């Protein structure tokens, strides 16, 4: 991939442009949501991969200045009832 650059380290040091989270069925831990919202000046976009039935947890990001720009359903587990969603959250006032 030529258009990506990966870095690892403490969230206080690395200032990401895009954050991708893939939480368990129960959704993101409130402490993680708080940390993501703390990074708001740098993180313009957040990608969330989650079960459709945990989608209501996206509302937490809305309280922190992010809005849902797009949600796509993905059938990652054929032959069962579980469908994942991939949501794009964009900081209010920025383009995606």
């Amino acid at each position: 991939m030529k258009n990506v650059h990966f870095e690892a380290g403490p969230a206080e040091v690395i200032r990401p442009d895009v954050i991708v989270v893939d939480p368990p069925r129960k959704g993101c831990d409130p402490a993680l949501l708080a940390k993501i919202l703390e990074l708001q000046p740098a993180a313009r976009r957040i990608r969330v991969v989650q079960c459709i039935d945990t989608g209501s947890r996206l509302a937490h990001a809305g309280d922190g200045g992010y809005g849902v720009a797009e949600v796509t359903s993905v059938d990652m587990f054929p032959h069962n009832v579980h469908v994942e969603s991939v949501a794009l959250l964009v900081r209010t006032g920025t383009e995606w």
Side-chain angles (χ1 to χ4, degrees):
M1 290 185 270
K2 296 179 181 178
N3 62 342
V4 293
H5 174 78
F6 295 95
E7 292 188 34
E12 309 81 55
V13 177
I14 295 175
R15 308 303 287 179
D17 286 331
V18 177
I19 296 173
V20 179
V21 294
D22 186 2
R25 181 169 294 276
K26 67 177 184 165
C28 289
D29 184 271
L32 174 62
L33 289 172
K35 180 52 79 175
I36 289 171
L37 295 177
E38 215 175 278
L39 296 172
Q40 184 172 345
R44 297 184 321 260
R45 296 168 293 177
I46 301 171
R47 280 283 183 183
V48 181
V49 180
Q50 62 185 358
C51 299
I52 291 288
D53 54 344
T54 61
S56 62
R57 289 178 177 84
L58 292 175
H60 291 289
D63 295 339
Y66 287 85
V68 178
E70 169 184 283
V71 178
T72 303
S73 298
V74 181
D75 189 4
M76 295 176 57
F77 310 106
H79 309 294
N80 73 31
V81 298
H82 300 289
V83 177
E84 297 287 301
S85 68
V86 179
L88 172 61
L89 282 61
V90 179
R91 191 170 61 213
T92 306
T94 61
E95 293 185 30
W96 56 281

